[in-house]
Amino acid sequence: MTRAVTRRRDWDVPENKQPVIETRGLRKVFRDFWRRPTVEAVKGLDLTVNDGEIFGLLGPNGSGKSTTIKMLLGLLRPTAGVIRVLGAAPDDTRAKARIGYLPEVSHLHPFLTPRETLMYYASLFGLPRAQATQRTRELLAMVDLEHAADRVVSGFSKGMARRVGLAQALVNAPALLILDEPTSGLDPIGCREVKDLVCALAKNGVTVLMTSHLLADVEDVCDRVAILDHGVLRAEGKIAELLRQPDAVRFEVEGLDESDAAAVRAELETRTGRRVRQEYPSMSLESYFLQVVARDGRQRSFAMAPFLHSPSASPHSQPSAPISNS
Amino acid sequence: MATGTQNGIGIAASARRIVGVAVLAVRAALRTKTVAALLALLAVCVLALPGVVKGDGTPEGELHILLTYTLGFAFGILCLATLWAACTLFAAEIDNARIHLSAVKPVRAIEFWIGKWLALLALNAGVLLAVYAGVYAQVCWRIHRDGWEAIEQPASRHVARPLLPTPREEARATLAALRARGEVPQGYSERTILRVLEEKANEKYNEIPPGGQQSWRFSLPRPLRAGEAITARLRFETEYHTRTQVSGICRLGCVETARAVEVPLDDFTMKEIEFDVDARAFGQIPADGLRTFELSFMHTGDARHAAGLLLRFRKDVALLIPGGSFWMNLLRAAFVHWSVLALLAAFGLTLSVCFSLPVAAFVATVLLVLTMVSNSVVQVVSEEDAQKWSNRAGMLVSRAVHGVTRRALQAEPLTALTHGERLDADLLCTSLGWNVLLVPLLLAAAGCVVLRRRELADTE
């Protein structure tokens, strides 16, 4: 399939990567029954998500993240502005065939089993039955739900339902994965697994757009982020660049005893004429938790479904930047 | 990465999506116990109702209860269930945001619509077959238990009506006569006058007074063959106390063989008289059978005491010949009912695309009631009665609803079953074409336009 993303000449495409999602001047005004405007959720948003990127959309509640995602998916119509997703309008079925979506609330049919749920969504992608069955089996194994594959979803915990939701988002081996709060409802192990999976997918050429209230999650996996507030784009860029403090330098030395540390500190203060802060770094609570659970032999990780491994079929699978923090 | 794109196009992929949507809707119905509750209600209706409603003790009365009351009641329940279920299918999914996961998949609006509609058709087919099978089993059991004679058993017969001018032709002739006499009503358009005259022609009662005689010619829908019997039927509305002295002679003659049979009739206690004549009574039957007959009735009652016999010639006089088995006719009736349910399902689905569940259910119910009463309003209320603006508005709405729904509801399968009349192929074709193809197609188009334009998410 030929690449269909259209590029406007004046658009800035960083690092020669082609944009997968583009919005220009995107606005959304909600109206009441009498067509009177009630709230302007998104105000002139210009956003570009490039091929193979993991892009984080951040913002407080009511900042317009979900509204933006729903417009990207064609669930809402923009009041003004242009949206191109995989080179097409959001309601184009050819583009939809290459998108995977996990909403903030999974919205699964409670009377279906995970197997039936995945078969249903596979049928919506027009997959032949044999292929759908194979993918369903692989995805159930991937999200570790084989043991509950034939139990109805209504009896599932939030975490299990989330896993089913994640599996359905991958049933078409998407080129673009849109995840709205993907770690919501998951325990720390589940969160780690999802983050690992997102990184692995990106390495295989999948573009990921995710939102999360857990900033640590975003920091862990995203290449670039955009921060929305009251519908306005407040900041956008690579995480490393956004978080960098140019007027400060940090050294980390292992095995330095107390007296040597004091000597180094004194030397630095003498040379720079500035006050030097000395810290003993600790691991994050998440790392400690995972370490403890690993000792109990409970830690595991999502094994990617085989059909998600082949990078050849993705039209966006040019080599992407290595994910440094996976 | 093998994206779904390659598989997402083409007729096969489209069919898989439609089947997927349909299977989901069927599973929803079966697993949420909706169908179980409906089946329980219908089982009570089919099994208990004939025991509760008392007949007149005759096999004909028993059959009437089974076919008209039981099937009619069950069909009414199914109509409401179908309409409300259809109203739920889209509206509930949109209201609880479950459609978000489906709508972002490469599914066209028409595929969604057809999938859900097919699910309702499949469920209705299953439930209707179960109901009809239950009624058929009861009929068979009663025949066995009560030992009904062959003539009392339900039948399926082709019906031939008298060869008369159509109501439209008669209306035109009447209008021409009124014009010639200068008696055309003033203040009404010609179209309105013609419509009223046509309705009157269709429902007009003709009187055969004592000493009077009336003849009708018939062309059978298929030839009468040797070994078969032909049945003549007269149905009349003359009140009981005025018809006790009615008597007459029916003469049934075959035009091809120029032979006739005379049957004296003196028992007018029932409102319907039927008599059978064996084909051999008309003489030598040619190889291609007998097709053209003439029926005449001569009122031989005493002119001083007896009332005239009141008949609607187009509806109340008929010749009947064997036309297949009763159970096949029952199946045809089930098909007609299924086609009406298909129409209701389409209607409900389109409403559910346009409105939220409570609004869609309310609008659907109101329109259903309006459809049911519009027929009576149009027939009973005359132009003269509708002088006030409110009455005129009501009449206008009733006419519009009646005009739209008349063709969809013109088949009356239960009446035909009760009278042993075969539901002919043209009627089934009309039901199929109008109720299952044409109108649902228009409703689907409207529903898809709305579904494509409607926002499926809100501020939350």
Side-chain angles (χ1 to χ4, degrees), chain B residues 51-351:
Chain B
V52 175
V53 181
K54 295 296 172 200
D56 57 5
T58 63
E60 190 188 18
E62 295 284 311
L63 201 60
H64 184 73
I65 287 169
L66 270 171
L67 296 180
T68 309
Y69 285 83
T70 309
L71 282 180
F73 206 75
F75 179 62
I77 292 172
L78 270 176
C79 281
L80 282 177
T82 302
L83 201 56
W84 289 337
C87 286
T88 310
L89 278 179
F90 273 110
E93 260 193 74
I94 294 171
D95 291 350
N96 61 28
R98 204 154 279 144
I99 202 165
H100 288 188
L101 275 184
S102 310
V104 300
K105 308 288 190 279
V107 188
R108 292 176 189 89
I110 189 72
E111 291 167 344
F112 267 128
W113 198 97
I114 291 177
K116 288 177 187 293
W117 185 62
L118 288 180
L120 287 171
L121 295 198
L123 286 168
N124 277 332
V127 175
L128 259 182
L129 279 178
V131 167
Y132 270 77
V135 169
Y136 183 64
Q138 286 210 51
V139 170
C140 292
W141 177 63
R142 301 242 171 157
I143 290 171
H144 174 73
R145 185 192 68 179
D146 301 337
W148 292 356
E149 292 174 21
I151 197 167
E152 296 168 331
Q153 291 180 16
S156 169
R157 299 170 296 187
H158 287 289
V159 183
R161 306 279 178 202
L163 299 171
L164 295 169
T166 64
R168 172 53 62 100
E169 288 167 350
E170 190 175 322
R172 285 189 192 286
T174 310
L175 182 61
L178 288 172
R179 273 214 188 93
R181 296 200 300 269
E183 294 173 1
V184 179
Q186 299 301 307
Y188 299 101
S189 68
E190 184 180 320
R191 198 174 156 197
T192 306
I193 295 170
L194 270 176
R195 186 174 46 72
V196 172
L197 287 175
E198 192 178 334
E199 282 167 9
K200 284 186 174 171
N202 209 25
E203 295 297 323
K204 183 177 73 181
Y205 279 94
N206 299 79
E207 184 186 7
I208 306 176
Q213 182 175 347
Q214 180 71 43
S215 296
W216 305 275
R217 183 167 276 224
F218 297 84
S219 176
L220 299 184
R222 71 158 181 85
L224 182 71
R225 311 236 177 242
E228 292 180 330
I230 185 168
T231 305
R233 184 170 70 199
L234 296 170
R235 199 184 298 142
F236 50 90
E237 287 297 325
T238 310
E239 285 188 25
Y240 183 79
H241 68 277
T242 64
R243 68 177 185 241
T244 48
Q245 298 298 318
V246 173
S247 63
I249 296 172
C250 253
R251 186 171 184 277
L252 181 60
C254 175
V255 174
E256 282 97 350
T257 60
R259 294 273 296 269
V261 176
E262 283 194 352
V263 180
L265 302 170
D266 54 9
D267 181 9
F268 283 78
T269 51
M270 305 299 285
K271 282 188 172 183
E272 191 173 291
I273 290 175
E274 280 191 6
F275 61 87
D276 293 344
V277 179
D278 195 286
R280 284 171 298 190
F282 300 107
Q284 188 67 36
I285 299 172
D288 56 349
L290 306 174
R291 264 206 186 265
T292 315
F293 284 82
E294 196 167 278
L295 177 70
S296 63
F297 177 78
M298 189 167 67
H299 194 329
T300 57
D302 184 349
R304 288 170 300 174
H305 302 292
L309 205 60
L310 291 175
L311 299 154
R312 291 169 302 181
F313 292 166
R314 287 188 179 81
K315 294 185 174 179
D316 296 336
V317 185
L319 292 183
L320 305 106
I321 54 172
S325 59
F326 172 69
W327 76 265
M328 272 302 292
N329 210 30
L330 207 59
L331 215 55
R332 288 187 205 101
F335 176 81
V336 172
H337 274 167
W338 177 78
S339 78
V340 175
L341 293 177
L343 182 64
L344 287 175
F347 182 58
L349 272 180
T350 295
L351 282 178

Side-chain angles (χ1 to χ4, degrees), chain A residues 1 86 88-99 124-125 172, chain B residues 4-5 8-9 17 103-109 111:
Chain A
M1 190 171 182
L86 293 164
D91 56 359
D92 188 305
T93 50
R94 287 166 303 173
K96 283 181 175 181
R98 296 159 60 201
I99 297 174
L124 295 190
F125 282 104
N172 60 326
Chain B
T5 317
I9 52 174
R17 285 193 281 269
V104 300
K105 308 288 190 279
V107 188
R108 292 176 189 89
E111 291 167 344

Side-chain angles (χ1 to χ4, degrees), chain B residues 366-416:
Chain B
V366 167
L367 288 176
L368 186 67
V369 172
L370 207 57
T371 302
M372 286 159 68
V373 299
S374 66
N375 189 35
S376 308
V377 171
V378 168
Q379 284 182 1
V380 172
V381 182
S382 65
E383 293 286 335
E384 294 80 32
D385 297 331
Q387 291 303 321
K388 276 175 63 180
W389 73 267
S390 53
N391 291 348
R392 291 176 78 87
M395 195 68 185
L396 205 66
V397 172
S398 298
R399 285 238 167 84
V401 173
H402 178 68
V404 171
T405 57
R406 182 179 50 186
R407 193 177 286 271
L409 304 174
Q410 68 175 0
E412 294 176 345
L414 298 186
T415 309

Side-chain angles (χ1 to χ4, degrees), chain A residues 1 28 30 39 70 73 75-77 93-94 96-98 101 103 106-113 116 120-121 123-129 131 135 168 172-175 204 206 307-308 310-314, chain B residues 1-9 12-14 16-21 24 27-29 31-32 93 96-108 112 116 451-460:
Chain A
M1 190 171 182
K28 179 63 191 177
F30 286 104
V39 62
K70 285 170 185 170
L73 291 163
L75 295 171
L76 289 174
R77 291 181 184 284
T93 50
R94 287 166 303 173
K96 283 181 175 181
R98 296 159 60 201
Y101 171 52
S106 293
H107 298 311
L108 300 170
H109 293 279
F111 51 84
L112 293 183
T113 66
E116 290 165 347
Y120 166 61
Y121 289 114
S123 75
L124 295 190
F125 282 104
L127 295 184
R129 189 169 180 80
Q131 197 178 354
R135 284 196 182 181
Q168 69 76 31
N172 60 326
N204 279 272
V206 177
F307 72 90
L308 293 167
S310 156
S312 59
S314 169
Chain B
M1 207 167 298
T3 65
T5 317
Q6 297 94 324
N7 301 305
I9 52 174
S14 186
R16 281 193 284 271
R17 285 193 281 269
I18 290 171
V19 170
V21 173
L24 179 78
R27 280 195 172 127
R31 294 194 186 166
T32 51
E93 260 193 74
N96 61 28
R98 204 154 279 144
I99 202 165
H100 288 188
L101 275 184
S102 310
V104 300
K105 308 288 190 279
V107 188
R108 292 176 189 89
F112 267 128
K116 288 177 187 293
L451 192 61
R452 287 177 63 181
R453 296 178 65 87
R454 185 176 173 183
E455 292 193 324
L456 298 173
D458 50 27
T459 50
E460 290 174 8

